[in-house]
Amino acid sequence: MSKKKSARARKEAAAKQAAAGAVPVAGQPPEAVPAAVEKPLPPPTVKQPVITAPAARSRLTRDQGAVILFSVLLLFTVTVQTAWMAMALIALALVFGIGRQPLRRMRERFCIAVIGLLIYEVITGFSAIYSHFGDTALAEFYKQVAVFALVAILLARFEKKHVRGLLWGFAAVCAVIGFLCVDAASNASVFGVFRKVTEAMEANYSTIEVTLYSRVNGIYNDANVSGSILALGSLISLYLALSEGERKRRILACFLLGISAQSFFLSLSRGAILCFGITLVVWLAVAGRGRRLRLFTLMFISAVVTMMLSLPAMRGIGTRSLLPDLLTLLTGILIFLLDWTFGERAAHLLEGRGKILAMAAGVLAVLCVVFLVAAVNLTQAHTFQGGSEEALLRALRLEAGEYTLSAKGSGLDNVSVQIYSQTDEQALIAKERVTELYNGSLAEAAFVSPGKDANVFFSFSSAAAAELQGVTLSNGAAIPMDYKLLPSFLVNRLQGGIFSDTSYLQRVQFMVDAWKIFVMSPVIGHGISSTENLYPAVQPFFYQSRFVHNHLLQVMCDTGLIGLVGFLGLLGGVLWLLVHRLREERDPLAAVLLACWVMINSHSLMEINFSVRAYFAMAMVILLLPVLLYARPVAEKAANLGGLVLCALFWVYLAVFGGLLESRRMVIRDAQRFGSTDAVEYMSALESYARRDVFYPTEYQLEYLVNAVNFDHELFNDQMLEYVKALRANGSFYACSGITRYYYLPGKDFKELFACSREGTAQRAADPESWNIEVAFYRTDVLPAAEGRMDDFIDGVLKYQEYLLEFNQGRIEEIVLAEENQAFMDAVAYVRESGMSDADAFAYLSDLQTADQ
């Protein structure tokens, strides 16, 4: 009891001393300190068991270093798109996957999005093996595995605390890409240095077309792809500019925003701009009341500054001018200054004033409508300076009938006009496919319009100075001249209408034909790169497209429903994380990531974005940031086991497929160094190459086949027959052509030769060159070997002709053989109809072939 009272007394005394201002001295009981002093004694220096400032700075530096390293890896991934870079990323992913921390993080990330990612990547890896087109499949697989290795590093080594730094790195990489795109299309000084550096790392930027139709085509040779990447950079930079409190950081964020926004707009990708507008609306909708107005003001200021500076910047595109570079760098600075002086104050003044905001929104909407009406109606005369400047192009939809033109202006004797029409079918086949209606002097212009299903184009030009004030058709319709409020490049881009444009019509056709490919193998698909190789088998006319221009259909064709399940698991899992977070709290970071999700998936429904390594890498980093931020295990009890399995599968997949890729590279090196003249040793080497190269054994199997036929030794027969069966099952034009030439022809097995030839042609049936190659092969190689076997030869050729006629039924564009090949087919048909003997038929066709040569 006495101890308790003593303790209580000491506490009471300490409380009185504290109230009186006394400070206890270390090591003395409270009672020993005077009850009160005029000035408190200074506090003693006491060593506290806390982490010191230097240690904290050291930890922060390590985090920053990790983020910077990842940003550099991201930059190299999207600019050095080579096989060795993919292998380097695989090696780094395996190294960074070692340790307890990756395992712990994988346990935390045992969620639908990551499981879907793994399923999709595993089936993609196997599809690279079971694809019949190993050479192109291998190129695609390097892209897939490189990006998977990059995001494996992201998932294994980074956490929520790193996300802001990763966003800064992402915005910086986008700005670098954007500036390179603009510089390449204008001055090219920075791009020239970049190209030399990347070429030293085996990348190739020497063949890209950096400008296209007076717009920035970008370093990826596709304005739509680079535009979509830069749209993501604009979104992330916009978020950073809004959320940073320190002025220096806000200036830097606006600077990055200006570069991405300006280069995005200069790409003039109609699809990307449309999807970006939808994305901004979604972001505003989910931003929350307290943040929506501030977000809108910065969006508005950014858009106004970007469009104002883009007009002079566009004049410097393709002219070796520094102006586009300088204006691109200036855009962000002006955005910050206007936002600092006007945007913040406007948002603060309007906050909470709903009626004023509604009125302002209404006024803005009216002004936009007024501007659009004025933009399409306010026109002026067009002045020709003379020489070779770009022609004035205009298009109208006209009723069928005869028309004449009347014009007003000066120097009209110098003005000529080319008038041509283009139907939707013509536009679908090719932008250049037109029907000329008139070409000559404007004063004498007259033409016949084919009707409403076609656009009629008028291309005015002048050899000398002239002014064209207006042109009127005989039915009273006026052809507009220059638009006062719209730049000429934009007007030309919109001529003919979006839905009659070649790019739109062909995209629709790509998707229709992709569905045909999918239903041929709906479960596992045909392997990556399938559409590039199988499109000619289903096309109604021949066109060349490596990809579908729709990421979902591309996955379906390549990996079937199994791959689609994994891919949708990734996209759906990320969407669920973001929506769930926004329901819990109006998190501004979740809002911008949701906006990015919308941009990525809406634009990729009409573009090849996910089929380009640069875009695929950028998109996957953004898609997986919500996993770092908000992911929870799908089953808490199974999290430990699930995380372990997940971690193991990630690294086993990378190790196995990385090893298979390296085996392929070793095979190539071994084949280049091989120099033996011993037949058995050489054939054994070919057999080894075909076994070790699981991605593309076809070339070694075919080489083995050729040499086995030449050696004609029973030692090689069994393996040769096995390869014949494998190559025939492959069904590609390359494999079947090889068998017909190097196996069936030497053995004079004409029935199988022609059957195999038809099978190979089916894979490239829409390509006229494939048919011509085979018919030329019949003329020059098969005919000389068919002496005494003309019945089989003629049967095979006529069956090939029947196949061609059948294939041409209902096509938009028929296959037409070259003149000498068609003459040969007609001669073979004549031989059958005339009933010539075997010897006479051989002599007749041989003489015809000799005469042609």
Side-chain angles (χ1 to χ4, degrees):
M1 292 293 291
S2 61
K3 290 183 179 180
K4 290 182 179 180
K5 287 181 180 181
S6 176
R8 186 180 303 162
R10 285 197 298 270
K11 289 181 181 179
E12 291 175 355
K16 290 178 181 179
Q17 291 162 7
V23 179
V25 180
Q28 290 184 337
E31 294 86 348
V33 182
V37 294
E38 294 182 0
K39 294 181 179 181
L41 295 174
T45 302
V46 180
K47 293 183 179 180
Q48 300 291 338
V50 296
I51 299 175
T52 61
R57 284 196 298 271
S58 176
R59 182 179 62 185
L60 183 61
T61 302
R62 285 197 298 270
D63 288 344
Q64 288 177 334
V67 168
I68 292 171
L69 175 60
F70 184 82
S71 301
V72 172
L73 284 177
L74 178 61
L75 178 62
F76 278 110
T77 302
V78 301
T79 54
V80 185
Q81 303 178 76
T82 59
W84 78 262
M85 177 56 67
M87 299 305 297
L89 287 168
I90 292 172
L92 287 172
L94 290 171
V95 171
F96 288 137
I98 299 172
R100 294 182 180 179
Q101 292 301 321
L103 178 59
R104 175 182 64 80
R105 294 185 180 104
M106 284 299 183
R107 286 200 298 265
E108 296 170 353
R109 288 151 196 178
F110 180 55
C111 62
I112 296 298
V114 178
I115 295 171
L117 168 66
L118 186 60
I119 293 173
Y120 168 66
E121 189 61 30
V122 169
I123 188 64
T124 298
F126 282 109
S127 79
I129 296 174
Y130 63 69
S131 169
H132 292 317
F133 313 100
D135 52 344
T136 54
L138 189 64
E140 286 301 297
F141 184 59
Y142 272 119
K143 170 199 73 181
Q144 291 279 347
V145 76
V147 175
F148 183 74
L150 182 72
V151 297
I153 296 172
L154 180 69
L155 292 172
R157 284 294 172 183
F158 294 94
E159 298 179 353
K160 184 175 182 178
K161 64 181 179 179
H162 300 113
V163 169
R164 191 165 192 84
L166 292 170
L167 292 175
W168 274 103
F170 184 91
V173 171
C174 287
V176 170
I177 294 171
F179 187 76
L180 286 172
C181 290
V182 174
D183 181 75
S186 53
N187 186 56
S189 56
V190 178
F191 175 73
V193 176
F194 163 80
R195 195 174 78 178
K196 289 181 180 179
V197 172
T198 53
E199 283 178 352
M201 294 183 282
E202 301 179 9
N204 184 12
Y205 288 91
S206 60
T207 59
I208 66 170
E209 190 175 359
V210 293
T211 57
L212 186 68
Y213 309 129
S214 301
R215 58 177 176 150
V216 174
N217 201 33
I219 64 173
Y220 301 114
N221 218 26
D222 192 317
N224 300 306
V225 171
S226 56
S228 198
I229 290 174
L230 297 167
L232 297 176
S234 300
L235 294 171
I236 297 301
S237 300
L238 194 63
Y239 165 77
L240 293 172
L242 282 170
S243 58
E244 284 292 350
E246 187 179 345
R247 183 171 297 172
K248 291 181 180 179
R249 289 178 171 269
R250 287 183 55 208
I251 294 173
L252 179 57
C254 287
F255 180 71
L256 298 178
L257 168 62
I259 296 175
S260 290
Q262 187 63 254
S263 49
F264 163 67
F265 191 73
L266 290 175
S267 69
L268 286 179
S269 169
R270 293 173 297 186
I273 292 173
L274 173 63
C275 294
F276 189 68
I278 296 171
T279 296
L280 295 181
V281 172
V282 171
W283 190 4
L284 287 169
V286 300
R289 291 185 179 180
R291 301 182 181 91
R292 188 174 294 126
L293 181 59
R294 181 73 186 92
L295 174 60
F296 176 77
T297 56
L298 185 55
M299 284 181 179
F300 180 76
I301 289 170
S302 302
V304 170
V305 172
T306 299
M307 286 190 287
M308 286 180 60
L309 295 185
S310 69
L311 298 178
M314 285 172 181
R315 298 190 185 100
I317 297 300
T319 63
R320 307 291 296 178
S321 170
L322 274 172
L323 184 62
D325 287 3
L326 296 176
L327 292 175
T328 299
L329 296 175
L330 181 62
T331 302
I333 305 299
L334 291 182
I335 289 173
F336 171 77
L337 292 175
L338 281 177
D339 184 58
W340 180 43
T341 57
F342 169 75
E344 293 180 2
R345 296 180 183 180
H348 178 72
L349 290 174
L350 294 174
E351 191 67 45
R353 302 184 181 184
K355 292 183 179 180
I356 296 178
L357 287 176
M359 291 175 61
V363 170
L364 182 62
V366 171
L367 289 176
C368 289
V369 172
V370 170
F371 174 80
L372 290 174
V373 172
V376 298
N377 285 282
L378 293 179
T379 59
Q380 60 187 3
H382 180 80
T383 302
F384 294 100
Q385 302 298 327
S388 59
E389 73 267 11
E390 186 176 351
L392 176 66
L393 181 66
R394 295 294 180 262
L396 294 175
R397 285 269 183 174
L398 299 173
E399 297 281 351
E402 298 181 0
Y403 293 85
T404 58
L405 272 65
S406 61
K408 295 180 181 179
S410 60
L412 297 182
D413 292 341
N414 300 314
V415 179
S416 59
V417 59
Q418 180 188 18
I419 305 174
Y420 55 89
S421 66
Q422 186 178 58
T423 65
D424 287 349
E425 186 174 288
Q426 287 176 318
L428 172 63
I429 295 173
K431 184 182 279 291
E432 298 77 18
R433 184 71 64 92
V434 298
T435 301
E436 186 171 87
L437 306 178
Y438 174 82
N439 192 356
S441 171
L442 175 59
E444 301 174 0
F447 67 96
V448 177
S449 170
K452 283 187 176 181
D453 63 338
N455 283 310
V456 178
F457 291 85
F458 304 84
S459 180
F460 301 95
S461 59
S462 179
E467 183 181 72
L468 194 58
Q469 296 176 353
V471 177
T472 305
L473 273 66
S474 54
N475 69 340
I479 301 176
M481 297 292 98
D482 286 349
Y483 290 85
K484 293 183 178 181
L485 300 179
L486 294 176
S488 59
F489 67 86
L490 184 60
V491 174
N492 290 340
R493 185 103 168 89
L494 298 175
Q495 290 301 314
I498 294 176
F499 300 111
S500 295
D501 186 73
T502 298
S503 61
Y504 169 79
L505 294 171
Q506 286 187 347
R507 279 169 171 77
V508 174
Q509 189 64 51
F510 297 160
M511 296 177 197
V512 170
D513 292 341
W515 181 261
K516 299 175 186 175
I517 294 173
F518 163 69
V519 297
M520 291 161 57
S521 179
V523 179
I524 62 172
H526 303 272
I528 53 176
S529 84
S530 61
T531 52
E532 176 181 359
N533 294 283
L534 291 178
Y535 263 148
V538 297
Q539 295 166 341
F541 67 96
F542 180 63
Y543 59 79
Q544 292 179 307
S545 179
R546 292 184 63 189
F547 309 111
V548 179
H549 291 68
N550 180 297
H551 62 322
L552 298 181
L553 278 171
Q554 187 73 59
V555 170
M556 292 163 66
C557 291
D558 291 350
T559 58
L561 293 176
I562 298 177
L564 181 65
V565 168
F567 192 68
L568 291 180
L570 166 64
L571 299 181
V574 170
L575 179 62
W576 185 88
L577 289 174
L578 292 170
V579 172
H580 183 69
R581 175 63 177 175
L582 288 169
R583 284 179 177 177
E584 290 180 340
E585 177 186 344
R586 287 293 178 178
D587 183 351
L589 181 51
V592 70
L593 291 176
L594 178 61
C596 290
W597 188 97
V598 172
M599 181 67 206
I600 289 168
N601 288 287
S602 60
H603 193 225
S604 297
L605 287 173
M606 64 182 77
E607 281 300 338
I608 65 171
N609 295 340
F610 272 79
S611 299
V612 177
R613 183 192 292 191
Y615 189 91
F616 188 36
M618 302 294 277
M620 290 299 288
V621 168
I622 289 294
L623 288 173
L624 288 173
L625 288 183
V627 174
L628 273 61
L629 290 164
Y630 314 120
R632 297 291 183 273
V634 291
E636 293 288 347
K637 292 182 179 180
N640 287 334
L641 179 60
L644 179 62
V645 172
L646 202 63
C647 194
L649 288 176
F650 263 76
W651 312 134
V652 167
Y653 174 83
L654 286 170
V656 170
F657 280 90
L660 292 175
L661 288 171
E662 184 56 31
S663 176
R664 153 78 177 171
R665 291 160 63 86
M666 290 175 63
V667 165
I668 294 174
R669 291 193 293 267
D670 290 347
Q672 291 172 344
R673 291 194 298 261
F674 187 81
S676 175
T677 58
D678 182 79
V680 175
E681 186 177 354
Y682 176 62
M683 298 296 280
S684 297
L686 289 177
E687 186 180 349
S688 172
Y689 300 157
R691 183 177 63 254
R692 290 159 55 195
D693 186 359
V694 299
F695 297 105
Y696 190 37
T698 304
E699 57 180 336
Y700 302 110
Q701 293 172 346
L702 194 55
E703 190 172 351
Y704 187 100
L705 176 66
V706 172
N707 286 280
V709 171
N710 290 334
F711 292 145
D712 192 20
H713 195 289
E714 61 180 8
L715 184 64
F716 310 127
N717 286 345
D718 290 343
Q719 189 65 64
M720 178 182 66
L721 293 175
E722 183 180 331
Y723 286 164
V724 168
K725 188 182 298 184
L727 290 167
R728 187 76 178 264
N730 181 285
S732 68
F733 182 79
Y734 172 73
C736 290
S737 295
I739 302 174
T740 58
R741 284 157 175 78
Y742 306 121
Y743 180 73
Y744 290 125
L745 179 59
K748 295 190 176 183
D749 188 346
F750 294 111
K751 289 185 178 180
E752 291 301 318
L753 182 150
F754 284 105
C756 186
S757 176
R758 292 193 296 273
E759 292 169 12
T761 302
Q763 185 252 313
R764 300 284 307 167
D767 184 1
E769 184 180 1
S770 303
W771 297 87
N772 280 301
I773 288 174
E774 291 302 283
V775 176
F777 168 61
Y778 302 158
R779 289 192 296 111
T780 60
D781 295 273
V782 182
L783 176 61
E787 186 175 7
R789 302 280 302 278
M790 289 303 293
D791 282 343
D792 290 341
F793 176 80
I794 292 172
D795 283 344
V797 173
L798 292 180
K799 284 183 180 179
Y800 198 76
Q801 186 177 44
E802 290 173 8
Y803 178 42
L804 174 58
L805 294 173
E806 180 183 349
F807 183 77
N808 273 332
Q809 296 298 315
R811 288 179 54 77
I812 294 177
E813 188 176 44
E814 293 187 352
I815 300 294
V816 178
L817 294 175
E819 183 177 351
E820 63 273 17
N821 287 332
Q822 186 59 57
F824 173 75
M825 299 289 273
D826 294 339
V828 172
Y830 170 74
V831 166
R832 174 54 56 87
E833 291 171 0
S834 63
M836 289 185 186
S837 66
D838 190 288
D840 290 342
F842 179 78
Y844 174 78
L845 293 175
S846 298
D847 290 343
L848 184 65
Q849 176 63 16
T850 303
D852 289 340
Q853 292 176 348

